[in-house]
Structures are given as C-alpha cells and as structure tokens.
Amino acid sequence: MAKRNDINNCATCIYRSFLFSNLKAEDLSRVNISKKEIAYDPGEIIVQQGEKISSFMYLREGLLKISREIDNQRNQIINIAHPMDFIGLLSVFSEDYYHYSITAIEFSSLCFIDLGLMKDIIRKDGGFALKLLEKMSSMNEMILHNRLLISQKNLRGRIAHILQFFSKEIYHTHEFTLPVTRKEIAELIDMRTENVVRILSEFRRDGIIQIAGKVIQVLDEDNLSRIEEFG
Amino acid sequence: MAKRNDINNCATCIYRSFLFSNLKAEDLSRVNISKKEIAYDPGEIIVQQGEKISSFMYLREGLLKISREIDNQRNQIINIAHPMDFIGLLSVFSEDYYHYSITAIEFSSLCFIDLGLMKDIIRKDGGFALKLLEKMSSMNEMILHNRLLISQKNLRGRIAHILQFFSKEIYHTHEFTLPVTRKEIAELIDMRTENVVRILSEFRRDGIIQIAGKVIQVLDEDNLSRIEEFG
DNA sequence: CGCGGCTTTGATGTTCATCAAGTAAAGTGG
DNA sequence: CCACTTTACTTGATGAACATCAAAGCCGCG
C-alpha cells in the first residue's frame, strides 16, 4: 500500500456515506481511530488478486477498476467503482482472499477500516448490519444485472451501453475523458480491442459521437440510446 | 401460493441449514411459529417477476430456476438453486419487488419466513447478521463468477460446463435426467436452442456422452473437462 | 531517439444465429 | 381413447457477426 495522509475525521467527513451515517457515535469514533486513508494515482494497484483480505474499503474519491485474471495474459473487468462504493463488498465477508484485483484508474482516495473491527461492529449493532446487508445486496444485484444485460447485446449495443455509462452515471456530462484504454473497454464488455475501435469509429462516422483520443463527446444521445436498447 | 403442509419443526428439521444453526433458541422458535412450508410440482411458479417481496425463502428440497424476462418472449435464466440455498438472497434486502421469477423444475419444498421477522432477528442478533452476510456474499460471488466464466467460453465449452454442473454439483453421478429443456439450457448459458441440440449431438457422436431424451450419461469425463477448460 | 504499448484499418476465416422444415413427444378436448 | 394442437427436439443450409491476423502510425517514456 502507498502514501498515507490521514487528514479527515469520519464524523465530519463530507464523503461519509449513507451507511456510516447509521453508525452509533461510539462505533464511528472507533472507525475513525482505526481507519487509514490512502491516496492512489491512476494505474496504481490497490489490491492484488490472491491477497489476503484484511480491510473493509471505502472509496471516497476517484474511480477504480475491479478485474480478474482469466488465463496467462487475459483480463476480465468485473466492474468500475464510483465514490461512495464499498469496494470489495463483493466478497469481503465470504472469502479470506481476494478473487480479483483493484486498480485506480483516476486519482483516488480510499479509507481502509480493519475488517475485524467491522465484524465486531456488525455483531454488536444489528441495525447497522441490516443496512450493510441492503447495501451489499443492491450492489451485487447491480453488477449482476449489468452482466446479464451486456451478454444479451450485440457489440454496437455494448459500446453504446458503456458510453452511456460513463456519460450518465460517472461524469454526468456529454463530454468526458475516457479513464480506460480501448483494451480495457473490451475487457469490460466482453469483446476485442479491434472491435471497440472499429465501432467507436463507426459511431463517429455516423455523427453519434466525436472522438479526440480519449476525449469523447456524445452528439446524438437519442440515437445512442436506441442502439443501446435494440442492439 | 399453493398447497400447505406444515409438518416440520425447525428445531428438529434435518434440512436445517448451517445458517439457522446459528440462531438463538428463542429466535428459532419464532421462526418455527411463523414459517410456512409449501410444496411445488415441476413447472409451478413460486415467484412472479414484479411481485412484492414479503418472505425470506429457504429451499428444503428440490430444484428451482431463477429467471427474468428480457423482452416479449425471451427469458434469461440467472441461476439454478439447490437445496440449502436461501433463494432470493440475491435481493431480498435491497428491493421491494422481485426482479426475477422463481419456478420449480423438480418437486420442491420451500420454507417461507416472514421478512419482517427476519429483519427483526437480524437487528437483534448481530452474530446471525454476520453469518447471513457471509452466506449472501458467497452466493452472490458464486453466481457472478459463473456468469463471468460462461461469457468467456465458446459454445462447446458452455455445454461442457453445464453438463459438469448437473453431473457434479447437482446429481453427483454420471447418469442423470436433465431437469430442463434444451431451450432452458440455452437461456441459462447464453446460446440458441438449435446449437444446444447440435453440440449435444456432436458430443454423442464423439463418444463423450450418451443421450436418451432427457437422460444423459457422461462417458468421457476427462474429455468433457478438457472441453470445458479450453473452450 | 528508440522501444513498447496503444490505436487504427483492412483482409480473412470461424463461429454462431437465423431460417426452414420435418419428426417426435406431450398435453387437450370430445 | 383417439384426433388434434401445441411444444419440444433435430438436422441442414445460409449469412451475419465477430475474432483473428497483419501491418502501419501514434504516443508517451526512459
């Protein structure tokens, strides 16, 4: 793990999530004392697949990719995590070792909370446990739902989907800078790099988007939506 | 919901799961009083997509399919649930309404526990909540993992995978009766009915399996494993 | 300045969906 | 119980969608 700069107090942290707002004052203080805040630059690996799980992680700021190795040199990206996500909620409570890697794809700031402490709080505070169950349930449902959607779409539909994802869910604007390479897009939506490029070019030819390297501008969102839906 | 026959007491129920064995005696008794046990024949619908979630379900015996409608007349099967599974753990705690349907594909017996009661127990018993978190986490991880695997395999690999699934994880024997139609297999592993048939026939020609209607016998498991892995 | 990874386009072949058409099996009503 | 209808299964032929191979330009970085 990298640079440390514990600057914030959980009680006043503007990033404090809905979940932690349900914590009792005493427990919040325990979290505050134990937590470690770490910042990562794009490309930095936060968790290596196979590593032992010892922390409960909370993404304050930035963007991460959660991925896993399939064979020698092929990767599969499971999810892109936004702020307020409890990353690794995927399996913190079921597995001893991470089944996936976590990498920063933008400048990111994470809080690490000792897993033992979290479990202790859960055991003592059933109300908090229920909130956590709900959060976990909805995160898992979302990721699975996404996978099920993608597997039904053709390649154009998938590209449209991922463009809408970045435009609407991540950056909330029509013009944005892709935080991932073409290859990573391919790994995220089950296709080949060449076809990502090809279809992006096609969309540009058709006046649906504008491309300047990693900067994308959505010009015809209606059309993009139609392609996403029917593709 | 269908026929009722509340015959069992949770305290002595031989199907009582690992999870419920962590329940305090008092809470177990509350579950026992509230629970409804219902039996279903193959084909009977247990939950309709869109229905309100009001129960926590536990599969005592049988086999279920969990599926969702994509468009007018196309379905996608998300998972096959075995006994001891807390079905709907997928989203009981995050959503008010089911995002999927549940159908019996063999004679099945389920216990329904009032969701309010479950939430109450969770709030009071953090230890139980933690066990539930672990169970939920591992179930979700398994389902997602399966999806990620399938999406990387070619059609032969997927068929090999699903045959191994039924043979090893469900029936624990080389010869078994498929609980699903060819069409349902297709819906489960993202392919078309025709290709399910074609590849099964191909496997038969190659001496890997024997087919008699719905009865399948795995003859060459090594080969099947190889196809699963490299396909 | 040169190396390696990223991007791009074209050409080619494979895999898979689709269409078609027929058989078998299973449910339905008289 | 039999004619009838529907649903499941099966095989072949065809074309579309996609992966793969190849080659060249680009860009950042040491």
Side-chain angles (χ1 to χ4, degrees):
Chain A
M1 296 190 186
K3 317 137 223 171
R4 262 174 210 198
N5 51 328
D6 303 9
I7 34 175
N8 284 281
N9 181 306
C10 297
T12 57
C13 174
I14 55 163
Y15 297 103
R16 184 155 61 125
S17 79
F18 170 69
L19 181 61
F20 279 159
S21 72
N22 285 84
L23 219 49
K24 291 170 185 159
E26 182 208 329
D27 288 330
L28 189 58
S29 141
R30 290 170 72 201
V31 167
N32 190 33
I33 292 164
S34 132
K35 73 138 205 305
K36 306 240 177 308
E37 194 185 332
I38 307 182
Y40 295 89
D41 288 323
E44 275 194 276
I45 294 169
I46 297 160
V47 159
Q48 251 322 340
Q49 188 170 347
E51 242 174 67
K52 195 158 167 49
I53 301 178
S54 62
S55 295
F56 185 87
M57 288 176 288
Y58 175 57
L59 178 57
R60 288 180 70 230
E61 202 184 349
L63 215 57
L64 313 176
K65 72 167 177 182
I66 297 168
S67 61
R68 62 177 207 151
E69 218 179 79
I70 13 185
D71 43 71
N72 277 333
Q73 216 55 342
R74 286 188 54 182
N75 260 36
Q76 192 170 25
I77 298 179
I78 301 168
N79 192 32
I80 303 282
H82 352 13
M84 315 293 166
D85 276 355
F86 289 85
I87 325 125
L89 219 49
L90 266 175
S91 65
V92 210
F93 293 110
S94 69
E95 301 290 340
D96 282 345
Y97 298 90
Y98 284 105
H99 286 178
Y100 46 80
S101 299
I102 303 179
T103 312
I105 55 176
E106 284 187 351
F107 176 86
S108 298
S109 163
L110 281 81
C111 278
F112 290 79
I113 300 153
D114 180 72
L115 194 56
L117 172 61
M118 283 300 292
K119 287 188 178 181
D120 193 54
I121 292 174
I122 290 164
R123 265 186 290 260
K124 284 188 188 147
D125 186 347
F128 176 72
L130 189 55
K131 286 281 170 211
L132 192 57
L133 267 166
E134 285 167 5
K135 181 79 182 169
M136 198 167 102
S137 186
S138 80
M139 274 200 50
N140 277 305
E141 173 128 350
M142 225 197 49
I143 294 174
L144 182 62
H145 177 253
N146 236 299
R147 280 279 139 202
L148 292 170
L149 272 187
I150 284 169
S151 70
Q152 295 298 322
K153 291 188 191 306
N154 67 22
L155 299 196
R156 299 178 86 240
R158 291 183 208 173
I159 292 289
H161 178 77
I162 207 67
L163 289 174
Q164 297 277 47
F165 169 73
F166 282 121
S167 165
K168 290 184 170 172
E169 290 181 46
I170 302 290
Y171 298 112
H172 308 100
T173 165
H174 286 294
E175 187 170 347
F176 55 87
T177 302
L178 280 175
V180 287
T181 64
R182 311 292 197 250
K183 181 156 165 279
E184 285 171 317
I185 292 178
E187 289 170 349
L188 183 55
I189 54 180
D190 287 335
M191 49 191 287
R192 301 298 145 157
T193 312
E194 293 95 322
N195 287 325
V196 172
V197 172
R198 240 185 281 275
I199 289 166
L200 283 174
S201 301
E202 194 185 320
F203 282 3
R204 179 184 47 202
R205 262 199 309 281
D206 296 349
I208 299 167
I209 60 172
Q210 207 164 24
I211 308 176
K214 289 208 177 301
V215 178
I216 302 278
Q217 188 180 358
V218 175
L219 302 173
D220 188 348
E221 197 197 303
D222 288 355
N223 206 345
L224 203 58
S225 290
R226 242 172 285 124
I227 294 171
E228 183 187 1
E229 187 176 1
F230 297 108
Chain B
M1 296 186 187
K3 318 136 223 172
R4 265 174 209 199
N5 52 327
D6 304 8
I7 34 173
N8 284 282
N9 181 305
C10 297
T12 57
C13 175
I14 55 162
Y15 297 103
R16 184 156 60 125
S17 78
F18 170 70
L19 181 60
F20 278 158
S21 72
N22 285 84
L23 219 49
K24 292 171 186 159
E26 183 207 329
D27 288 329
L28 190 58
S29 140
R30 289 170 72 201
V31 166
N32 190 33
I33 291 163
S34 133
K35 73 137 206 305
K36 305 239 178 306
E37 194 186 333
I38 305 181
Y40 295 89
D41 287 324
E44 274 194 276
I45 294 169
I46 297 160
V47 159
Q48 241 339 327
Q49 188 169 347
E51 242 173 67
K52 197 159 166 49
I53 301 179
S54 63
S55 295
F56 185 87
M57 287 176 287
Y58 174 56
L59 179 57
R60 287 180 72 232
E61 200 184 350
L63 215 58
L64 313 176
K65 71 167 177 181
I66 297 168
S67 62
R68 62 179 207 148
E69 219 180 78
I70 15 185
D71 44 69
N72 277 333
Q73 215 56 340
R74 286 188 53 183
N75 260 35
Q76 192 170 26
I77 298 179
I78 300 168
N79 191 30
I80 303 281
H82 353 12
M84 314 293 165
D85 276 353
F86 290 86
I87 322 125
L89 219 50
L90 267 176
S91 66
V92 211
F93 294 108
S94 69
E95 301 289 340
D96 283 344
Y97 298 91
Y98 285 104
H99 287 178
Y100 46 80
S101 299
I102 303 179
T103 313
I105 56 176
E106 283 187 352
F107 175 85
S108 298
S109 162
L110 280 82
C111 277
F112 291 78
I113 300 154
D114 180 73
L115 194 56
L117 171 60
M118 282 300 292
K119 287 189 178 180
D120 193 54
I121 292 174
I122 291 164
R123 265 187 290 261
K124 284 187 188 150
D125 184 348
F128 176 71
L130 188 56
K131 286 283 170 208
L132 191 58
L133 266 165
E134 284 167 4
K135 180 79 184 171
M136 197 166 102
S137 187
S138 80
M139 274 199 50
N140 278 305
E141 173 128 351
M142 225 196 49
I143 294 173
L144 183 61
H145 177 253
N146 236 300
R147 280 278 138 202
L148 293 170
L149 271 187
I150 284 169
S151 69
Q152 295 298 322
K153 291 188 190 307
N154 66 22
L155 299 197
R156 298 179 87 240
R158 290 183 208 173
I159 292 289
H161 178 77
I162 208 67
L163 289 175
Q164 297 277 45
F165 170 72
F166 282 122
S167 164
K168 289 183 171 174
E169 289 182 45
I170 302 290
Y171 297 113
H172 309 100
T173 165
H174 286 293
E175 187 170 348
F176 55 88
T177 302
L178 280 174
V180 288
T181 64
R182 312 291 197 252
K183 180 155 166 280
E184 284 171 319
I185 292 179
E187 289 170 348
L188 183 55
I189 54 180
D190 286 335
M191 50 191 286
R192 299 300 144 159
T193 312
E194 294 94 321
N195 287 325
V196 172
V197 172
R198 239 185 282 276
I199 289 166
L200 283 174
S201 301
E202 194 185 320
F203 282 2
R204 180 185 45 201
R205 263 198 308 282
D206 297 350
I208 298 168
I209 59 172
Q210 206 164 22
I211 309 176
K214 288 204 178 306
V215 178
I216 302 277
Q217 188 181 356
V218 176
L219 301 173
D220 188 348
E221 197 196 305
D222 287 356
N223 206 346
L224 203 58
S225 291
R226 243 173 284 124
I227 294 171
E228 182 187 4
E229 186 176 1
F230 297 109

